[in-house]
Amino acid sequence: MMKKLFAVVGVTLLLAACQEKEEIVKPVAMELSVEAAGFYCQMTVLDHEGPKAQIHLAGSPFPLWFSQVRDAVAFTRLPEESKDYVAIYVNDMDNAVSWEQPGNNNWVDADAAYFVIESTQNGGMGAPEAIPFGTQAGAEKFSSENGGKVVKLTEIPDEYVLKPVEFELSDASSN
């Protein structure tokens, strides 16, 4: 009887191991609309200049929106945030109208993008930005005009997106 039980358990384990993992289909990027609120700030994303990001979590039909790409990259690096993301899209600044109008539907997969970090251009929330481009040439052109260096997503240092940012107060705000 024990041999039959071991045989049944063994066959069951073998079949389970042979089954292919269910592949998660990567969702398409969603168009940015006035309803989009920043994940961390809960402010309307469209109220800020510069590139934006959206992160899609497994099982959720709606993305998390970010007013700055830097914040989306930080989300992926913070230990307390979900690691169940299946897609990250960022504005392709190669196809942006301007810094003030980065676009509502010009998304590029963050894994395929080229980012300019450490440039003189801050993001829409005033912090240093990881500025995404769909082409290396676009990123290099921006870098030559605004400083910084061109990197891929995995090359963005944790410290760049996680370190606190100090903001200078204007005279009007110190009263």
Side-chain angles (χ1 to χ4, degrees):
M1 184 65 160
M2 278 307 253
K3 286 184 181 182
K4 285 184 182 181
L5 180 60
F6 282 124
V8 170
V9 170
V11 169
T12 303
L13 290 174
L14 185 59
L15 288 174
C18 291
Q19 289 180 350
E20 290 184 35
K21 281 190 170 184
E22 184 178 327
E23 190 170 319
I24 296 175
V25 177
K26 192 177 228 179
V28 297
M30 291 187 70
E31 185 170 355
L32 182 58
S33 68
V34 294
E35 290 85 26
F39 179 71
Y40 289 121
C41 65
Q42 294 304 304
M43 298 169 72
T44 303
V45 173
L46 288 173
D47 287 347
H48 304 282
E49 299 178 347
K52 316 292 185 261
Q54 56 181 285
I55 295 180
H56 294 258
L57 300 177
S60 177
F62 303 106
L64 304 177
W65 292 100
F66 295 87
S67 301
Q68 276 202 219
V69 173
R70 175 186 197 263
D71 295 341
V73 177
F75 178 93
T76 68
R77 311 281 175 87
L78 289 167
E80 65 270 18
E81 298 296 3
S82 174
K83 301 299 176 237
D84 201 17
Y85 48 89
V86 293
I88 304 171
Y89 296 104
V90 292
N91 279 126
D92 179 355
M93 295 304 284
D94 278 326
N95 295 308
V97 172
S98 65
W99 187 259
E100 293 75 25
Q101 297 178 352
N104 296 347
N105 212 18
N106 57 322
W107 303 104
V108 61
D109 188 315
D111 289 327
Y114 294 87
F115 296 85
V116 177
I117 61 171
E118 302 171 1
S119 77
T120 58
Q121 181 66 59
N122 284 333
M125 298 295 284
E129 183 60 291
I131 304 163
F133 293 85
T135 66
Q136 186 172 1
E140 287 174 353
K141 180 178 186 286
F142 184 90
S143 177
S144 71
E145 296 169 358
N146 299 281
K149 61 182 179 180
V150 177
V151 297
K152 295 296 281 180
L153 179 63
T154 58
E155 299 169 328
I156 298 173
D158 288 350
E159 181 179 293
Y160 185 73
V161 296
L162 297 177
K163 72 179 177 184
V165 177
E166 292 186 28
F167 295 98
E168 291 185 27
L169 297 176
S170 68
D171 291 335
S173 64
S174 60
N175 292 334

